[in-house]
Amino acid sequence: MTAMTHDRLAGGRLRAGLGFAALSASSFALSGPLARGLMDAGWSSAAAVAARVLLAAVVLMPIALVQLRGRWHLLRRNVRLITAYGLVAVAGCQLAFFNAVAHMEVGVALLVEYTAPVAVVGWLWLSRGQRPGRLTVLGGLLGLVGLLLVLDVVSGARASAVGILWALGAMVGAAVYFLLSARDEDGLPGTVLAAGGLLLGGVVLVVAGAVGIVPLAVSTGSVAFDGFTVPWWVPMLVLGVVTAGLAYAAGIAAIRRLGSRLASFVALTEVVAALLFAWLLLGEAPGGIQLVGGALILGGVVAVRMGEPRSER
């Protein structure tokens, strides 16, 4: 009876984790098409992201305060975690990606950044002795091949040494996001971590723009999508509330249930969802080879799941 109860609890935790992961990935994926519309209307990418994460912090802050319930010692105890999350997983990752796409094609930069699950597996192996099994390695290979096909970087893609270095920095930031989000030993609520990190990351992005590291340009003109036009504040509101606030909070909830390794591979489905949103909002229909790549990514996630140790499954 005890074993059956444990299995039911584990199964419920897995289903909840996969649900949160799917919600987070689809929310993150929506940011690309929305930000593309804003940038076509005159926004710089850094300004769009800074406004996005600061708005998300404002939205999450009341929820975070309710979850804290006056336990301010949790903030003092986790100040290093929140600082690292804001500086590396939010601001550092975004800044590195922006600088990468300034020197190379977006698809190649994304491909390098989305090797983060491999970095997560390597770090867990080196730091905790969690050696990956054959199914985990197979899942990683399927995921990487799927990314190559989905992002279509094989045909004539250009890259540069400087761009690759910046993209690797973005990959490190993404890997740190998965590793730090899994830390809940001190009882810090996930929404508090997300709100604090987003606030700090947004402030750093604004400062980076003020000193000229990244350009900050905004526009109040209408934003055009495929077949319709909306005021600028509509996509910005969705960017802040859905693609940042909801995405980060759901992502932390998923990682704390699935573990950083499995969650990082499930997050690869973000590129598949991004294709669908680009099709709906921008009229950019995915090709057959991209659909095959999406299937390989999903196959890689299943393989990684099957390769998880029994104690973690």
Side-chain angles (χ1 to χ4, degrees):
M1 179 64 71
T2 302
M4 292 178 62
T5 301
H6 180 270
D7 289 342
R8 284 196 296 270
L9 290 174
R13 185 178 182 85
L14 171 64
R15 287 189 295 271
L18 290 175
F20 280 122
L23 178 61
S24 177
S26 58
S27 299
F28 274 127
L30 184 58
S31 63
L34 292 178
R36 170 74 175 275
L38 283 171
M39 287 186 286
D40 288 343
W43 285 69
S44 68
S45 56
V49 173
R52 168 194 174 206
V53 297
L54 287 175
L55 179 58
V58 171
V59 171
L60 291 179
M61 199 61 68
I63 304 174
L65 292 176
V66 171
Q67 288 190 342
L68 275 177
R69 294 191 296 272
R71 296 175 296 170
W72 303 110
H73 66 280
L74 290 178
L75 292 179
R76 294 191 296 269
R77 188 185 303 169
N78 292 278
V79 64
R80 292 182 180 178
L81 173 61
I82 296 173
T83 302
Y85 191 88
L87 294 181
V88 181
V90 178
C93 184
Q94 299 285 351
L95 284 174
F97 182 74
F98 292 158
N99 284 290
V101 298
H103 293 87
M104 62 199 300
E105 294 180 4
V106 174
V108 181
L110 280 173
L111 178 63
V112 176
E113 181 183 6
Y114 276 100
T115 58
V118 179
V120 170
V121 171
W123 175 259
L124 293 177
W125 184 4
L126 294 175
S127 63
R128 303 181 187 177
Q130 297 180 11
R131 182 176 182 178
R134 284 178 292 182
L135 282 174
T136 300
V137 174
L138 174 62
L141 292 175
L142 288 175
L144 290 177
V145 173
L147 279 174
L148 280 170
L149 298 180
V150 169
L151 298 174
D152 194 20
V153 298
V154 180
S155 54
R158 296 180 295 103
S160 71
V162 175
I164 290 293
L165 290 175
W166 279 116
L168 287 172
M171 180 271 290
V172 171
V176 169
Y177 159 74
F178 290 110
L179 293 170
L180 293 185
S181 296
R183 295 182 55 180
D184 60 349
E185 296 87 354
D186 293 330
L188 184 70
T191 305
V192 178
L193 174 60
L198 287 167
L199 178 61
L200 179 59
V203 170
V204 170
L205 285 172
V206 171
V207 172
V211 299
I213 297 178
V214 292
L216 289 180
V218 300
S219 171
T220 57
S222 298
V223 179
F225 293 101
D226 187 32
F228 64 98
T229 302
V230 296
W232 67 270
W233 56 265
V234 174
M236 179 52 64
L237 186 64
V238 178
L239 274 173
V241 176
V242 178
T243 76
L246 178 61
Y248 275 98
I252 294 174
I255 294 167
R256 290 185 173 182
R257 288 166 173 80
L258 300 177
S260 54
R261 177 169 50 199
L262 178 57
S264 66
F265 279 92
V266 176
L268 293 179
T269 58
E270 179 187 334
V271 297
V272 182
L275 284 179
L276 299 178
F277 285 128
W279 186 8
L280 293 174
L281 295 178
L282 304 175
E284 300 175 355
I289 195 70
Q290 292 175 308
L291 297 178
V292 173
L296 288 176
I297 290 174
L298 295 177
V301 171
V302 173
V304 172
R305 167 60 186 162
M306 296 298 295
E308 289 287 277
R310 289 185 177 273
S311 60
E312 296 183 24
R313 288 198 297 176

